[in-house]
Structure formats: C-alpha cells, structure tokens
Amino acid sequence: MASYSALATWYNELTEDIPYDAFIRYYESAFARHNGKFKLILDLCCGTGTLSKKLSQRGYDVIAIDASEEMLTVAENETKNLANPPFLIHQNVQELDLFGTVDAAICALDSFNYIPPDDLSLVFQRLRLFIRPGGLFLFDIKLPGSFISLNGQTFVDERENVLCIWQANLEKNGKALRYSMDLFSNLGEGLWKKETEEHVEYLYQPEEIYSLLAEYGFIADKEINDTPQKDQGRMFFTAERSV
C-alpha cells in the first residue's frame, strides 16, 4: 500500500487547518537572520505544493520535489497559473539530483520523519551537495513523545464527500509509528469508494539530528521557541551549510 496516492485527492481538504502562512513567516525570519540573500528555494517533499505556491507568490524561485506522482499532479494543478510557477520534479529525497545549488531547502510538516534511519546520512550528503555554502536547510520533525501519544488510537476525519479513518500503532522496537488509513470517497448516487494506504514515520531524538547536521557540515541555530505548531510536538531546525 503506497503512501499519498489515494490521499492526494483529498489532502488539501483534510488539512485545511494547517497554518501555512505561519510556516512562511518562520522561513522568512530565518532568511532575515542569515543576511536575507535567498532567492532560489528547494521544497523537499512538497506534497500538493501549498508552500511552494505561497513562496512563488512572494517572489521566490522554487524547485519542488516529491516521491508521489499523485501529490505532484495536484501541485501542478494548484500552481500552473502562477506568473512564476515552481519547477516540479518527481524524485525521492534520498535521490536528490539538481542542475546546480539552491539558496535554501525546506522540508515541512514532519516529512523528514518519513525518511528511514538508514537513509538519513545519504539525505544529508545530497543536501550538502545542492545547498550553496552559506545556504540554509530549514525543516521540522515531530518529537518522539508526540508519536508515542498516538499509539493504539483510532482517528476519524469526516467531510461532505470523504471519510478518513486511520489507526496508529507503534512498532515493537519503539522506533517507528505505522498507521493504516482507509479513505471512503463519495461517488454519488449512494456509492462510495474505499481505498487504503499505509504510512510509516520514524522517531528521531533532536540529539540525533544535531549530530548528523554537524557531521555533514551544517551549523545549526539554537532552538527557537516561536515556531509553528510547537504546541503539537513539532520542533524546527535551522541549519547553515558551512563553507
């Protein structure tokens, strides 16, 4: 069962409460702290492209990658009429390959937690290649306690034309949260379509992330308290690529 395939159609509707503008303010405050010379932005795991769209509308040039063709299809439809639409690439973050360097890379909404532990070093290697010296990597993770609190729970999200039911279970080793998701889409005339996805997110301690950043030549800012969704167990990292 693939992640973000059936969900792509309904993702924006089911996540309409995400404070995207707060994320943009956070990124721009980081740009300002680091001399403000940021024009070309890489949106890793861009999903349906909402952040890419907002960055483009604010005058940035954006490259956006995602592993889900279905999510990119939605992103293309959402951004194609912009004056300067983001350049969309179907690519796994572990296989990041660009034509040159970017001024900053972002990875939002705990997308980083989807990267398996065995791939983390490779991801940081690729990012060091494609973020310019002095450029930034801005990303967030959900902290382990936030995932642990979901263990064994079932959640229901209902809209007029879609019903989403997902169940969360912590793996026995305590290092990953695996959750299954059932989506029921209203086809009309009393007919509903059921589709199922499986998602896996990995639990990372902040110390692990700081250690890897340092190993691959990124200088991390100290934790900043005023960050989006901190009250929901989210922690942000701002890291400058060293020369």
Side-chain angles (χ1 to χ4, degrees):
M1 292 179 286
S3 301
Y4 295 107
S5 51
L7 180 59
T9 301
W10 304 105
Y11 182 84
N12 288 346
E13 185 172 346
L14 291 169
T15 60
E16 59 189 3
D17 59 336
I18 292 175
Y20 287 108
D21 289 336
F23 278 77
I24 297 296
R25 288 194 296 272
Y26 174 80
Y27 298 143
E28 292 194 323
S29 69
F31 297 160
R33 292 197 310 274
H34 290 263
N35 301 318
K37 298 178 181 179
F38 298 89
K39 176 65 174 175
L40 180 57
I41 311 299
L42 171 64
D43 187 357
L44 298 167
C45 309
C46 68
T48 56
T50 302
L51 283 172
S52 293
K53 179 179 180 179
K54 288 181 175 292
L55 287 166
S56 295
Q57 290 172 326
R58 293 183 70 80
Y60 298 95
D61 296 324
V62 181
I63 301 170
I65 75 165
D66 202 277
S68 167
E69 292 185 50
E70 293 85 356
M71 295 286 269
L72 284 174
T73 297
V74 176
E76 182 178 19
N77 289 332
E78 292 287 328
T79 61
K80 62 184 178 182
N81 293 323
L82 296 177
N84 182 31
F87 184 67
L88 304 176
I89 304 176
H90 180 224
Q91 195 173 83
N92 287 310
V93 65
Q94 296 92 327
E95 300 169 351
L96 179 65
D97 191 14
L98 305 176
F99 295 110
T101 59
V102 299
D103 297 318
I106 63 172
C107 188
L109 298 167
D110 55 277
S111 296
F112 203 83
N113 291 98
Y114 279 83
I115 302 172
D118 290 345
D119 291 343
L120 278 183
S121 292
L122 177 59
V123 169
F124 281 114
Q125 287 177 18
R126 305 306 292 175
L127 287 168
R128 180 165 177 82
L129 281 176
F130 294 110
I131 298 175
R132 66 163 171 81
L136 294 179
F137 179 35
L138 303 118
F139 64 106
D140 60 81
I141 64 171
K142 289 290 287 289
L143 294 170
S146 180
F147 285 125
I148 291 170
S149 69
L150 301 177
N151 185 36
Q153 296 197 50
T154 298
F155 300 86
V156 178
D157 197 344
E158 185 176 5
R159 300 291 192 276
E160 182 178 355
N161 290 309
V162 64
L163 174 65
C164 179
I165 302 173
W166 57 283
Q167 298 175 309
N169 291 286
L170 196 66
E171 292 190 347
K172 290 183 178 179
N173 62 11
K175 295 182 178 180
L177 185 77
R178 187 177 299 271
Y179 52 98
S180 59
M181 179 180 295
D182 292 327
L183 285 155
F184 298 86
S185 305
N186 187 354
L187 302 179
E189 299 182 356
L191 297 176
W192 290 76
K193 179 182 180 181
K194 179 185 176 183
E195 297 173 277
T196 299
E197 293 191 358
E198 184 176 77
H199 296 244
V200 181
E201 294 198 58
Y202 299 90
L203 281 66
Y204 293 120
Q205 297 290 345
E207 294 76 15
E208 296 178 75
I209 304 301
Y210 281 123
S211 178
L212 280 166
L213 286 168
E215 182 179 349
Y216 289 97
F218 288 90
I219 303 167
D221 287 357
K222 65 180 180 179
E223 183 182 359
I224 299 170
N225 290 322
D226 186 18
T227 61
Q229 296 183 315
K230 182 178 181 180
D231 59 338
Q232 298 178 32
R234 193 177 304 280
M235 179 177 177
F236 276 73
F237 295 83
T238 300
E240 180 177 325
R241 199 275 218 190
S242 62
V243 177

